[in-house]
Amino acid sequence: MRIVIVGAGIGGLVAALSLHAAGHRGIRVVERVRELRPLGVGINLLPHAVRELTELGLGEQVARIGVAPARLAYFNRHGQPIWSEPRGLEAGYRWPQLSVHRGEFQLLLVEEVERRLGAGTVRQGLRLTAVDHGAGDGGADVARFADASGAITSMEADVIVAADGIHSAIRRQHHPDEHGPVWNGLVLWRGTAIVPAYLDGRTMIMAGDGEQKFVAYPLAAPDAPAGLSRVNFIAERRAPEGAEAQSDWNRPVDPAPIVDLFAHWRFDWLDVPSVIGSAERILEYPMVDRDPIPRWTFVRTVLLGDAAHAMYPNGSNGASQAILDARTLAHRLATEPTIEGALAAYEDERRPATARLLEMTRRLGPEQVMQLAYERAPGGFADVHDVIPQAELERIARDYKVAAGFDPARLNERSSLSVPATSPQGV
């Protein structure tokens, strides 16, 4: 089967590895940038994603470039604890949660694709211009790409996987009247810093509410002699009225104004302005997502990852959902009798699930507990259970895990998405 994957991000690369593991050959990955570099900052891979990476034989490699947080803890903007829960293996999963540098993880995947599928599998510097459906031999779709000079390269494919991100050219081709990414008015500043280890050195923290928030988690184990740790952080605040969003994930900014915004966030367990001020560099971008669309499949072309369902980072689930997309698509193409049936089954499974999850992230997802604490006790509290009952806290955490596909019992018990490495029936 001839397969063209548009986009060498996390979703596209995991799709390539998953399709290859299921026995497919003739896979090409095409990326618009001329040189992939380790850009970005930290991301979290939740246990359902780490399960899929482990079953692809990547678990140990990914674990070596990251750290497994043992706990997630929520606080109000005064540093008072709201809710805390174990994560990964400590929470009863068979797989850990891993915090990794996005760019390092992406390059690891690129190297593995080139090793397993062959050198030259990932072609860079080609921008998709259009897909002509049914224009190739045997009714294949044809993807047309332009290089920096404008020269056009055409590729026929039995399946085209559109993993080309929030500004997907294929999505735009089929939804030309769709507005741009939806901004909720919040601006995020992301960075990494080497700072004194906080709490137990393995806790992911979120402090604040729907108007202003700070997130931090280690990207490496603390250096015991120095007591320092490399952490990833996200500082977030609602923009002034009338501000406009620019959906650029890599715009460097001066840290000083952001330090000022968080000047009073000095907790006895973490000095937030000091963390921000210690950043190697800070990238600014707006919190944007995309509205759900009624269709992901167009003849032999299908959307995946952010191209299909870009969502807010509440719940730390974007990369994990792209990985689930990739594994589900490969599983369906290997187990359904026809390509059309496989693409339909993939969409029937993943589109409703991600639409539900997108709606939950717009309601803050599991971070709802911080907003409730702010609304009910903006000045703080003596005991969080005077503000939010324990049962309500547990329900919010449980409901999000179920919707996102990583409820511990269900994840541990569900069948594998791996398939024997043989050609799928009917192809």
Side-chain angles (χ1 to χ4, degrees), residues 60-332:
E60 292 184 2
Q61 291 169 261
V62 179
R64 282 197 292 270
I65 66 169
V67 65
R71 181 160 291 275
L72 169 63
Y74 297 96
F75 301 82
N76 64 10
R77 61 171 60 199
H78 308 292
Q80 296 173 310
I82 299 170
W83 168 254
S84 176
E85 63 181 28
R87 302 295 274 189
L89 300 177
E90 283 78 0
Y93 294 99
R94 291 170 55 193
W95 303 271
Q97 176 174 325
L98 294 173
S99 301
V100 301
H101 187 283
R102 177 188 288 272
E104 293 176 13
F105 178 47
Q106 183 183 18
L107 291 189
L108 182 157
L109 293 174
V110 170
E111 292 170 1
E112 198 63 20
V113 167
E114 292 279 297
R115 186 182 73 81
R116 295 187 188 187
L117 280 67
T121 296
V122 180
R123 293 190 59 181
Q124 300 178 49
L126 293 177
R127 175 180 58 85
L128 183 79
T129 60
V131 173
D132 298 329
H133 299 297
D137 293 341
D141 284 0
V142 179
R144 306 199 187 280
F145 300 89
D147 64 15
S149 71
I152 300 297
T153 297
S154 296
M155 299 184 188
E156 291 190 9
D158 300 297
V159 175
I160 296 175
V161 180
D164 51 342
I166 192 170
H167 298 294
S168 168
I170 295 175
R171 177 169 174 148
R172 183 169 59 250
Q173 175 179 330
H174 292 281
H175 296 275
D177 298 326
E178 184 183 19
H179 54 68
V182 181
W183 183 39
N184 70 354
L186 292 169
V187 179
L188 281 67
W189 298 279
R190 305 188 69 155
T192 62
I194 297 175
V195 298
Y198 62 88
L199 300 177
D200 62 356
R202 293 186 61 199
T203 294
M204 178 179 185
I205 67 100
M206 298 188 182
D209 45 67
E211 297 299 307
Q212 188 168 350
K213 183 176 71 178
F214 185 80
V215 178
Y217 51 87
L219 288 175
D223 180 280
L228 300 176
S229 178
R230 184 185 182 207
V231 302
N232 182 82
F233 70 82
I234 305 169
E236 174 185 314
R237 180 154 174 175
R238 191 163 300 280
E241 186 175 352
E244 295 183 0
Q246 301 292 325
S247 49
D248 179 355
W249 286 47
N250 294 299
R251 191 169 77 89
V253 296
D254 179 7
I258 308 162
V259 171
D260 290 343
L261 291 175
F262 288 82
H264 301 295
W265 292 47
R266 300 181 188 275
F267 312 141
D268 57 7
W269 49 274
L270 183 67
D271 187 330
V272 172
S274 177
V275 174
I276 298 170
S278 301
E280 299 159 0
R281 69 169 181 162
I282 294 180
L283 304 177
E284 176 185 279
Y285 65 95
M287 186 182 285
V288 295
D289 67 3
R290 285 278 198 184
D291 287 333
I293 52 177
R295 186 178 169 197
W296 288 4
T297 306
F298 312 96
V299 190
R300 296 288 187 88
T301 298
V302 67
L303 303 179
L304 182 149
D306 279 355
H309 52 70
M311 59 186 68
Y312 300 151
N314 300 330
S316 307
N317 223 322
S320 295
Q321 292 301 314
I323 290 168
L324 286 178
D325 286 352
R327 293 283 287 164
T328 302
L329 177 61
H331 178 80
R332 291 299 189 179

